[in-house]
Each structure stands twice: as structure tokens, then as C-alpha cells.
Amino acid sequence: SQQGEEDPQALSIQEGENATMNCSYKTSINNLQWYRQNSGRGLVHLILIRSNEREKHSGRLRVTLDTSKKSSSLLITASRAADTASYFCATGTSGNTPLVFGKGTRLSVIA
Amino acid sequence: DTAVSQTPKYLVTQMGNDKSIKCEQNLGHDTMYWYKQDSKKFLKIMFSYNNKELIINETVPNRFSPKSPDKAHLNLHINSLELGDSAVYFCASSHSTSGWYNEQFFGPGTRLTVL
């Protein structure tokens, strides 16, 4: 069953602005991961946040996790045209249960 | 250096045919996966192999048969192709069976079109 749901489905911003994408999920998780997919390419891992963490940074990326609300957000600061891509959240639970991906947010950064 | 590679990149074939997609990773990972991404970009796990052994087999028609000759390779054979099999198929790999806790590295995808 589908776990992560990204919001919004599509986002269009000007270069230099910040972009925020949200992910909600339904069941308890072990970790939540964000991936980027450029058009016609495979997914690239961006950041992983564990269930006992609340915030994580990587360069211009900031991810937060609120397990009480079962939600996560991905913030991209000072966006660039090269950030144009689809962004997916994926939730991991325990054992051999596979990662479950959301449908993604399509981000367009206009130069 | 390509980390996870897939061949072919594009595959166009007629309904009823049998086709294979190959995947290789040079990252030294011991877990590999096949995903299917539909036209709405929804990505769903199909299979997972660890050290050449099947550990995850989601609800996938038995027309799909994965084969792992060694840890670095996971091929996908599809029999009697149907229109609904048209999608992009991604191979991925990660360290260990707890790959769900680790980042996964994806191949570039194979776009399969069934006519």
C-alpha cells in the first residue's frame, strides 16, 4: 500500500527562492528518505532521516521529521535552475519490508 | 564510472514477446532491487535480492522472473509481454539486507513500450 504522499504535486518558483515540499505517511517508520529524479534519469538519494531525529541538513537541503504528525518536509534554499526535478519521499520500516515511495513533487525552478 | 547500469535503455516490442533487461552494479553492494515506475511516476518495488537470494517478491505476475547470477548482477526476464507492462523499470542496489535503512543507488532506467 502506498505510504508517503508528497504535497504539493507540482511547485514552480523563481531561481533564488526557497522550495518546500511535504511528505505525509500513515504507519510507524524506521527512517524516511528523500530522492531526486531528473527527467529521464534514475533516482538519486538526497538525505535519510531516522525516526529518532528531528532535523537534518545537507548543503542547501534541510529535512525535518515530525513522527507525531507522521510528516516530513524538504526545504531547498536558494534554489537553482538545476534543482528542477521530481522529489520523492520514501519510508522505511523494520525487517524486510521494502521502502515505499510517494508519487513525488515536480519542482520547476525558473531562471 | 557507472555505478548501476542497465541495458537496454529503451525497449519497444510487441505484445506476447519475451524480453530481458540486464542490470549490473560495481559498488560492491550485496542487495539489488527491481522497481517499476508507471506513467504517473509511481515507483513500486518488484523484487529484492540479497547475495543472489530472493528476499522480497511483491505481488508481481509470474511472467516476471528475476535472475541473479552473482552479487553484481540482477536481470529481469519478462514472458508474454502485455500492454500494461509498459513502464520504466529501474534497478537499484544498496549495502546489506537492511537496505531499507540505507540509501539506494538507482540505475538510469529502461523504458519498456509494449505495442
Side-chain angles (χ1 to χ4, degrees):
Chain A
S1 62
Q2 191 173 335
Q3 173 80 301
E5 287 275 354
E6 290 90 344
D7 167 57
Q9 287 188 335
L11 180 61
S12 185
I13 59 173
Q14 296 289 326
E15 205 166 30
E17 293 180 339
N18 295 342
T20 300
M21 288 159 269
N22 302 298
C23 171
S24 59
Y25 57 91
K26 294 177 182 161
T27 62
S28 295
I29 62 171
N30 172 280
N31 71 89
L32 187 144
Q33 304 181 31
W34 284 92
Y35 287 79
R36 183 186 75 232
Q37 184 180 30
N38 290 85
S39 182
R41 310 289 284 272
L43 279 74
V44 174
H45 183 267
L46 295 176
I47 201 162
L48 181 153
I49 186 165
R50 301 193 189 280
S51 58
N52 61 354
E53 297 175 311
R54 292 296 167 258
E55 188 169 312
K56 218 163 177 183
H57 296 255
S58 176
R60 294 184 295 112
L61 306 181
R62 173 178 167 249
V63 167
T64 61
L65 179 63
D66 187 335
T67 52
S68 67
K69 294 182 180 177
K70 292 187 168 60
S71 68
S72 172
S73 67
L74 170 66
L75 168 68
I76 304 174
T77 60
S79 63
R80 304 166 182 168
D83 295 328
T84 294
S86 292
Y87 292 82
F88 294 85
C89 69
T91 51
T93 55
S94 59
N96 279 334
T97 308
L99 281 180
V100 180
F101 286 80
K103 289 185 179 178
T105 291
R106 172 80 185 149
L107 173 66
S108 299
V109 181
I110 302 163
Chain B
D1 288 344
T2 304
V4 182
S5 60
Q6 295 178 229
T7 54
K9 189 166 173 61
Y10 299 97
L11 188 52
V12 181
T13 188
Q14 298 287 331
M15 246 185 348
N17 284 350
D18 303 337
K19 290 293 178 186
S20 292
I21 307 171
K22 294 186 176 182
C23 177
E24 177 181 1
Q25 54 94 5
N26 63 4
L27 298 167
H29 290 161
D30 50 17
T31 304
M32 296 184 72
Y33 315 83
W34 277 108
Y35 287 89
K36 179 181 180 181
Q37 187 174 45
D38 63 23
S39 58
K40 296 183 179 178
K41 301 291 187 186
F42 182 45
L43 195 70
K44 187 170 166 57
I45 184 73
M46 298 174 70
F47 301 102
S48 172
Y49 268 72
N50 174 259
N51 284 319
K52 302 192 298 176
E53 290 192 17
L54 181 67
I55 57 170
I56 291 286
N57 181 353
E58 291 294 293
T59 308
V60 176
N62 58 14
R63 297 181 295 104
F64 290 79
S65 52
K67 290 277 191 317
S68 182
D70 55 58
K71 285 198 316 182
H73 296 83
L74 180 61
N75 303 323
L76 183 65
H77 188 75
I78 315 170
N79 289 327
S80 303
L81 278 156
E82 301 177 356
L83 293 176
D85 297 333
S86 295
V88 182
Y89 292 84
F90 287 99
C91 177
S93 70
S94 71
H95 278 297
S96 81
T97 53
S98 52
W100 317 121
Y101 312 145
N102 299 321
E103 66 178 294
Q104 294 184 18
F105 292 77
F106 282 77
T110 295
R111 181 175 292 277
L112 172 64
T113 302
V114 182
L115 303 174

